[in-house]
Amino acid sequence: MTARADTIARHTVEQATRPAAERTTPPDPAGAAEPSAPVTEPALELLVHGVGGTTPEEMLDAPSTVRVTGDETAAVYRRECDVDAESRPRDYLDRPVPEAYVWCNLTSGNASRALWLLLLPFMVVNLAHWMRPSARSARSRTVRAHGLLVRLAGLTLTVLLVAAATEVALDLLAWQCAGTGACSDGRSWLRFLSPDASGGGWWSQPGRRLALAAAVPAALTALLWYLAHRTWSAYESQEPPTGERDRADSSSLASPGFWYGRRFVARLRAAHTAAGLLTVAAAVCAPAARHDRAPGGPAVLAALGWALEAALVAGGLAAVWVVSRRGRSERRLDRRLDGALRLLPLAAVVLLAAAVLYAGWSRPGWRSAGRLPGDAAFGAIALLQGLLVIALAVVAHLLYRRSPDPRTVLRGLGAPAVALLACALGGVMTGGVAQRVADWLDGGGTPGSIAGPPALLTWQASVIPPLLLIVAVLVAVLAVRTGRRTRRGLAAVATDYPGEPQDDARTRRIAATRARAALTDSAPAAVGVIAAVTLLFGAGALAGAWATGETPTAATDGGWAFVAGAARSSQALGSWLIGLGFILFVTWGRRAYRDASARRTIGILWDVGTFWPRAAHPFAPPCYAERAVPDLTWRMATWTAATDGRLVLSGHSQGSVLAAAATWQLAPATRRRVALLTYGCPLERLYGRWFPAHFGPAALEGLHREAVCWRNLYRATDPIGGPVRVTGPEVDRLLKDPLAYGRTPEHPLPAPILGHGDYQADPDFAVEREHLLARLRPAVPGPRPEPAGDPVPAEAGSAGTAAVESATAEPARESTAEPTAAPTGAAGPDTGQDQGSSGRSSG
């Protein structure tokens, strides 16, 4: 197979370098020569699957497939009988050659993907960055402020995660349990840290215990850096084609550097790594410095403590400055790296080592008691996150007011709502770990032997039950609305299938499926309600913890019986729910690590959440589109250049989003050879509403104008796909589902309700595909000159350098489709601003 594919690849490259009039049928690899006469141009259907992943055999409906180009992570496959299709074009006059691009291993490939569960809050806050409303000026100060606020919120999440690790390792284990005989006596692995059990051993001093325990959060930070660096080298370092771009493109997704965030992610990684290490250093240094500044303390150590804390503050300000200084640069491929920024994590390592040495200095009279000062730290993080979310809401409102769109979710407040949920999710995860470890330590010895976690974490756990109660009420309201929508839809089902003998059960099943599919459009309101309630409850928990300094049960003890009972029940239930959630989280992650099918299920979450580049958090799961979009762009450019053939880019569900992004990245000459076929497509229904600056009405109208031809198929029973709502020539087409109401000669068995899947099973699918191919046929055989673009580097696949260069340098043929719009302006120079400020405006 490999030798045969290589033969075809070499021949197509040779054909691409010849004038169009001299191209002939490729020779048969087996040795039979074909006559040197012009042949009908070939056609290719490049299939892109959606969320959840699949196999190339399922996509191509073939028992045996061959990898044409790519690797085990993402690749293009063909049926074994189609590998040499370009050498036999006459066999494919009535149908295109099917190819499948399989990218599911980008999100659910190896077992290490299970570790991404730890990064869930980072992924959510990264989504908030891309949810800004459309703006007339993509370089405005308001747009830059939006990106800055989200990046700062992401930085607080890194500090929160590392602070939770320090709370567990330094406070609960090294400070409280090891310093209390009732807690450490039953744990032999802690006895060498206990002053009583070790007889005043070398490690029993509090500062040395803290210095040793600092290895845990420091190792967590190092693990985050390692995961970010490894995925950065595999994803962000995939360089897209550098050919000519259409300067009239209406979306920033068409910018040359949009899918190449190598430099920016490296900057963020350095800053967040430094912030994590500095958090650990502060947790080690602060208790020792506070002891040294007590009356009668050593003056030299007190001075060293002041100097070290000042250095830590300076390091923190440097990390904030790096995060705040600039955003993404997209107007060009920015291949540079900021070598000086490597010094920032190294400086943080030096400060951490200095803090460890300082805390480990002998202080014979020092004894640990109570808690470390964690209440103030966690309270400051929670307050800062709340202020950032409120400021982000103000900025988002200003942007939306300048360019309002009724389809935008929550009137432009989607970003602050999602950022708040990311912060709440981070708080629940960190608080859950601390609560579980505290209960475990306290349960092994005398109950109440340790003070436990900071009171704020207990308050935050106590608000979970009332929040879940509100969510349950919200679910009940949506269920009632769905029932009403089902009853209203019964008549519509009867209208859609006229002349059929009515079956009440069948009619209700179809109407209920349509009603449930419509719940997707109610999701923004539900998210808004949950975010608002979370903000109110979070503010109440922070106020209660700061006002009382005690847990809810202790704070209400002796008050009204009803209030005390409610506080006691909420605290107990909240602690139990956090414990259950923590157990489920660990179990889910362990299963995903061992079981590929479970990992594939979790991969659905990453398929949806990691489409966007890492613009707010470098430790978020990597953006698979930074590999997938260049893959698709390279494949389309090389194949069309080598064969001068027609190509249908066929995307289902999330694959339709990748298809649209790849179409924006194509050079104009290549784009005229490509038709876009999307089905089960969330481009407008989800992406257009939640990410209006990049998939809003202006962007989709621009894609419709710039693509040669586009057809979008959807069903009323599909909860994800929907119309793209563009004007002009018809793009959207509603398919009937089910195909038949009752038994018919064509459907002797009951036709299933397909919903979001099996679009290719509809007979209209093949009809629409043939229609698109027919529209790509050239009306005039003569060439039309195209402006020469920059040469494109060679693909490591089947076409090669000559084929890639011809995608931008060789004349293209005329198309019968409607012409693309004339350029309206040119992109300016790179401004070094936030994402959005460096891309084009969609508003």
Side-chain angles (χ1 to χ4, degrees):
M1 181 282 300
T2 304
R4 181 170 55 177
D6 290 344
T7 301
I8 299 305
R10 288 194 298 270
H11 180 77
T12 53
V13 173
E14 293 171 359
Q15 290 285 73
T17 61
R18 300 179 184 177
E22 298 179 7
R23 295 181 186 173
T24 60
T25 305
D28 186 357
E34 291 289 333
S36 299
V39 297
T40 303
E41 56 189 7
L44 179 72
E45 182 184 14
L46 182 55
L47 299 162
V48 188
H49 66 77
V51 299
T54 184
T55 63
E57 289 77 16
E58 291 175 347
M59 293 180 68
L60 298 174
D61 193 20
S64 178
T65 60
V66 174
R67 187 168 70 196
V68 177
T69 180
D71 54 25
E72 295 180 355
T73 303
V76 173
Y77 293 84
R78 282 190 184 184
R79 297 181 300 190
E80 189 171 6
C81 60
D82 295 331
V83 171
D84 58 348
E86 285 80 2
S87 67
R88 299 178 287 108
R90 292 186 180 87
D91 295 344
Y92 298 90
L93 296 179
D94 59 342
R95 58 189 173 92
V97 180
E99 279 191 353
Y101 177 65
V102 180
W103 54 272
C104 55
N105 284 339
L106 290 171
T107 56
S108 58
N110 56 47
S112 64
R113 300 294 194 273
L115 295 175
W116 289 2
L117 286 172
L118 296 172
L119 314 178
L120 192 58
F122 304 157
M123 182 194 76
V124 177
V125 78
N126 192 68
L127 287 176
H129 175 91
W130 301 101
M131 289 181 177
R132 71 167 177 84
S134 300
R136 291 190 177 92
S137 174
R139 291 179 290 176
S140 68
R141 293 181 178 178
T142 312
V143 171
R144 295 197 296 270
H146 187 280
L148 171 61
L149 290 171
V150 179
R151 293 200 301 275
L152 291 177
L155 186 62
T156 64
L157 283 175
T158 297
V159 174
L160 178 63
L161 177 64
V162 178
T166 60
E167 167 61 28
V168 170
L170 275 70
D171 186 12
L172 295 178
L173 285 172
W175 183 266
Q176 296 187 36
C177 188
T180 305
C183 180
S184 61
D185 285 345
R187 297 175 175 85
S188 58
W189 52 276
L190 271 180
R191 296 177 66 86
F192 77 103
L193 296 177
S194 172
D196 298 331
S198 66
W202 195 87
W203 286 107
S204 64
Q205 292 191 19
R208 292 170 180 171
R209 300 201 306 262
L210 295 178
L212 179 62
V216 174
L220 174 63
T221 306
L223 175 63
L224 293 175
W225 175 90
Y226 168 74
L227 292 175
H229 184 273
R230 192 179 69 171
T231 56
W232 170 81
S233 61
Y235 290 78
E236 274 85 7
S237 298
Q238 295 292 326
E239 187 169 320
T242 55
E244 176 193 3
R245 292 290 189 274
D246 188 350
R247 295 305 182 185
D249 287 324
S250 57
S251 174
S252 60
L253 274 74
S255 302
F258 189 90
W259 302 109
Y260 191 65
R262 185 166 179 258
R263 182 186 185 189
F264 180 69
V265 175
R267 290 175 57 87
L268 286 183
R269 186 180 68 239
H272 282 247
T273 302
L277 294 174
L278 292 173
T279 301
V280 181
V284 173
C285 174
R290 184 178 58 176
H291 174 268
D292 293 338
R293 288 195 291 267
V300 175
L301 289 181
L304 287 176
W306 281 113
L308 190 54
E309 287 183 336
L312 293 175
V313 171
L317 292 177
V320 172
W321 178 80
V322 171
V323 171
S324 306
R325 181 169 170 259
R326 58 171 294 166
R328 286 167 50 87
S329 177
E330 298 164 0
R331 291 183 180 272
R332 58 183 175 83
L333 290 180
D334 195 350
R335 299 181 177 89
R336 297 172 296 169
L337 289 177
D338 301 296
L341 288 180
R342 298 178 183 177
L343 300 176
L344 187 58
L346 293 177
V349 170
V350 171
L351 289 177
L352 175 59
V356 167
L357 292 175
Y358 171 71
W361 198 265
S362 179
R363 298 174 177 85
W366 191 12
R367 295 290 182 271
S368 59
R371 302 188 185 103
L372 286 177
D375 275 326
F378 283 99
I381 294 173
L383 178 61
L384 179 59
Q385 288 177 339
L387 294 177
L388 288 174
V389 168
I390 293 173
L392 183 62
V394 173
V395 170
H397 174 71
L398 293 176
L399 286 172
Y400 178 80
R401 189 177 62 179
R402 297 174 185 175
S403 182
D405 177 14
R407 293 283 296 173
T408 301
V409 299
L410 300 177
R411 294 183 174 271
L413 297 181
V418 171
L420 177 64
L421 294 180
C423 296
L425 182 60
V428 169
M429 290 176 61
T430 56
V433 172
Q435 288 278 358
R436 288 304 92 208
V437 173
D439 291 345
W440 171 62
L441 294 175
D442 204 27
T446 304
S449 59
I450 62 174
L456 176 60
L457 299 184
T458 305
W459 278 87
Q460 289 175 339
S462 300
V463 302
I464 293 179
L467 178 61
L468 292 180
L469 179 62
I470 293 176
V471 171
V473 172
L474 189 61
V475 170
V477 171
L478 292 177
V480 171
R481 289 185 178 180
T482 301
R484 293 176 180 174
R485 190 179 288 113
T486 299
R487 290 190 293 272
R488 291 196 302 266
L490 296 176
V493 173
T495 303
D496 291 341
Y497 299 93
E500 296 278 356
Q502 291 299 305
D503 181 345
D504 292 342
R506 175 74 163 172
T507 301
R508 176 168 291 277
R509 191 178 304 115
I510 297 173
T513 304
R514 294 178 178 179
R516 288 192 296 270
L519 284 174
T520 303
D521 301 320
S522 303
V527 171
V529 171
I530 294 173
V533 172
T534 300
L535 180 62
L536 292 176
F537 283 177
L542 180 61
W546 277 4
T548 64
E550 299 176 335
T551 64
T553 299
T556 57
D557 190 22
W560 292 340
F562 173 77
V563 175
R568 190 180 306 107
S569 301
S570 185
Q571 179 177 328
L573 184 58
S575 178
W576 181 84
L577 288 173
I578 276 190
L580 177 63
F582 177 73
I583 293 173
L584 292 177
F585 185 82
V586 173
T587 303
W588 198 16
R590 186 165 177 256
R591 183 186 173 196
Y593 187 83
R594 295 184 173 184
D595 186 3
S597 61
R599 193 160 59 247
R600 194 174 299 113
T601 301
I602 296 176
I604 296 176
L605 179 64
W606 311 134
D607 291 348
V608 177
T610 60
F611 168 79
W612 295 101
R614 293 186 276 198
H617 208 295
F619 298 155
C623 167
Y624 63 86
E626 291 196 305
R627 163 72 190 269
V629 172
D631 280 358
L632 290 171
T633 308
W634 276 100
R635 183 57 180 167
M636 289 188 287
T638 55
W639 188 88
T640 55
T643 64
D644 201 25
R646 300 162 295 142
L647 189 150
V648 173
L649 183 57
S650 178
H652 172 244
S653 188
Q654 189 70 14
S656 66
V657 184
L658 290 174
T663 302
W664 262 311
Q665 286 286 309
L666 289 174
T670 304
R671 193 182 293 163
R672 279 190 285 272
R673 309 299 302 166
V674 176
L676 188 58
L677 176 61
T678 56
Y679 38 100
C681 170
L683 273 175
E684 195 281 336
R685 192 178 189 183
L686 296 180
Y687 281 80
R689 300 187 65 194
W690 287 96
F691 309 99
H694 309 283
F695 284 102
L700 294 182
E701 290 285 355
L703 179 62
H704 178 219
R705 184 173 60 249
E706 295 147 10
V708 172
C709 45
W710 180 13
R711 182 54 60 93
N712 177 63
L713 311 177
Y714 69 101
R715 301 184 180 118
T717 55
D718 192 338
I720 297 176
V724 293
R725 304 175 187 272
V726 295
T727 57
E730 181 183 358
V731 171
D732 293 317
R733 179 173 178 183
L734 177 63
L735 301 181
K736 183 179 291 187
D737 187 34
L739 292 174
Y741 182 86
R743 298 176 186 265
T744 67
E746 295 80 10
H747 301 276
L749 299 181
I753 301 175
L754 298 176
H756 186 59
D758 291 334
Y759 272 86
Q760 291 173 316
D762 195 305
D764 288 338
F765 182 91
V767 173
E768 295 298 339
R769 182 183 60 198
E770 293 303 318
H771 174 68
L772 291 175
L773 287 172
R775 293 178 65 185
L776 287 177
R777 294 184 184 277
V780 181
R784 183 177 67 181
E786 287 290 331
D790 297 333
V792 182
E795 180 195 20
S798 63
T801 305
V804 182
E805 292 177 348
S806 65
T808 56
E810 187 180 40
R813 300 183 182 181
E814 289 282 348
S815 172
T816 58
E818 57 272 11
T820 56
T824 57
D830 176 56
T831 58
Q833 304 297 341
D834 295 328
Q835 187 287 329
S837 64
S838 57
R840 278 179 172 76
S841 168
S842 299

